[in-house]
Amino acid sequence: MENLLAKHQGMNPTASFKDTGMTFAASSAQQSGIPLGGLRFHRQHFASMAAYAARGNMHSLVLIPEGKISWGKLSQSLDYGALTCQLRTDFDGCVRILKRTRSQKPVYLLNSVNPYRIEGQKTAAIELMEQLAWEPPDHIIVPGGNLGNSSAIGKALLEMRELKLISRLPKLSIIQAQGANPFYRSVREFGARRSKR
C-alpha cells in the first residue's frame, strides 16, 4: 500500500495531530478504489481528511452539526476541496445522515473508528519512546477526545513491550476538559451504578 504521506511535502500538513493517523487511513481508502474518500463532522479531523483525500485524488465530504464550526480548520478543508455541509442537527443527526448516505453510495469512512487511523496514530508513542532512548516514562497523560489517541498510544505501548523494545508499560492517563468530558462522566456513572449493587 502506498503511503500518501510519502508523497506529501510536510509531515504535518494541517498542523493537526490527526495527520499521522489520517495518512495511513487515507492510503487505505485510496487503495479501496471507493471514489468518496470519507465523511466527518467535527474539529481538526475534517481538515486532515480533506488534505489527504485531495492528495490521493479522492473526493471528500464534511458534515458539520449546526454551530459547531472551527473556522480555521473549516477553511483548510475548503482549501483542499472538500464538499462541506453544515446541517441543522446535532452530532447524532449527522451520524443518521451518514448512515443513509452509506446505504446509497459507496463511502470509505475516515472517522475515528477506522482501524487504519488507530494504526497510524501509534506513531506518537513510537516516536516518544525513540526520543527517550526506549526508556518509558513513569506516566503519559493524553487528551481524551474520542479516545482514539489513547487507544493508539496504549496499543503501541503494548506492542513495543511485546517486541521487547521497551521493558515496562508506563501509566496512561486520559484527561478531558470539564465542558467536554463524556468519558469522565461515563466512568463516574458506571462507578455509581456499581456501588449500588
Side-chain angles (χ1 to χ4, degrees):
M1 178 187 312
E2 182 180 12
N3 189 320
L4 293 176
L5 183 60
K7 295 163 85 177
H8 211 284
Q9 295 209 322
M11 293 293 287
N12 193 221
T14 70
S16 167
F17 72 92
K18 304 278 189 178
D19 288 345
T20 57
M22 191 55 67
T23 181
F24 197 57
S27 296
S28 172
Q30 185 183 46
Q31 187 171 4
S32 77
I34 294 174
L36 184 59
L39 289 90
R40 190 54 187 160
F41 350 98
H42 67 80
R43 298 188 184 102
Q44 64 269 59
H45 184 116
F46 50 69
S48 186
M49 180 199 65
Y52 284 103
R55 187 65 188 166
N57 295 315
M58 295 177 286
H59 300 288
S60 58
L61 172 63
V62 174
L63 303 179
I64 305 168
E66 189 170 37
K68 307 289 184 196
I69 297 174
S70 163
W71 290 107
K73 295 300 178 184
L74 177 60
S75 67
Q76 284 183 323
S77 68
L78 293 171
D79 286 346
Y80 285 113
L83 174 59
T84 305
C85 302
Q86 179 175 324
L87 305 175
R88 290 185 183 151
T89 187
D90 58 9
F91 180 85
D92 293 331
C94 285
V95 171
R96 285 190 297 276
I97 291 167
L98 170 63
K99 286 180 181 175
R100 265 188 273 148
T101 302
R102 287 192 73 204
S103 70
Q104 298 169 10
K105 284 276 197 190
V107 173
Y108 191 95
L109 291 179
L110 292 173
N111 64 3
S112 301
V113 296
N114 183 304
Y116 297 108
R117 280 267 323 280
I118 299 298
E119 290 302 307
Q121 283 179 236
K122 291 189 313 188
T123 305
I126 296 166
E127 288 177 352
L128 174 64
M129 292 303 113
E130 184 180 31
Q131 290 170 13
L132 295 173
W134 306 101
E135 183 58 40
D138 293 330
H139 201 159
I140 298 174
I141 300 173
V142 183
N146 63 8
L147 307 180
N149 266 342
S150 53
S151 298
I153 289 170
K155 188 173 192 290
L157 291 169
L158 289 169
E159 290 171 358
M160 285 186 283
R161 185 183 66 175
E162 186 178 316
L163 293 169
K164 300 190 183 335
L165 294 172
I166 59 175
S167 59
R168 62 183 174 78
L169 294 174
K171 182 177 181 181
L172 184 62
S173 294
I174 300 165
I175 59 170
Q176 291 187 312
Q178 187 172 358
N181 59 1
F183 180 63
Y184 167 78
R185 289 193 318 268
S186 65
V187 168
R188 192 177 72 196
E189 289 166 14
F190 176 76
R193 282 195 308 268
R194 236 177 133 189
S195 66
K196 289 179 182 178
R197 291 181 185 173

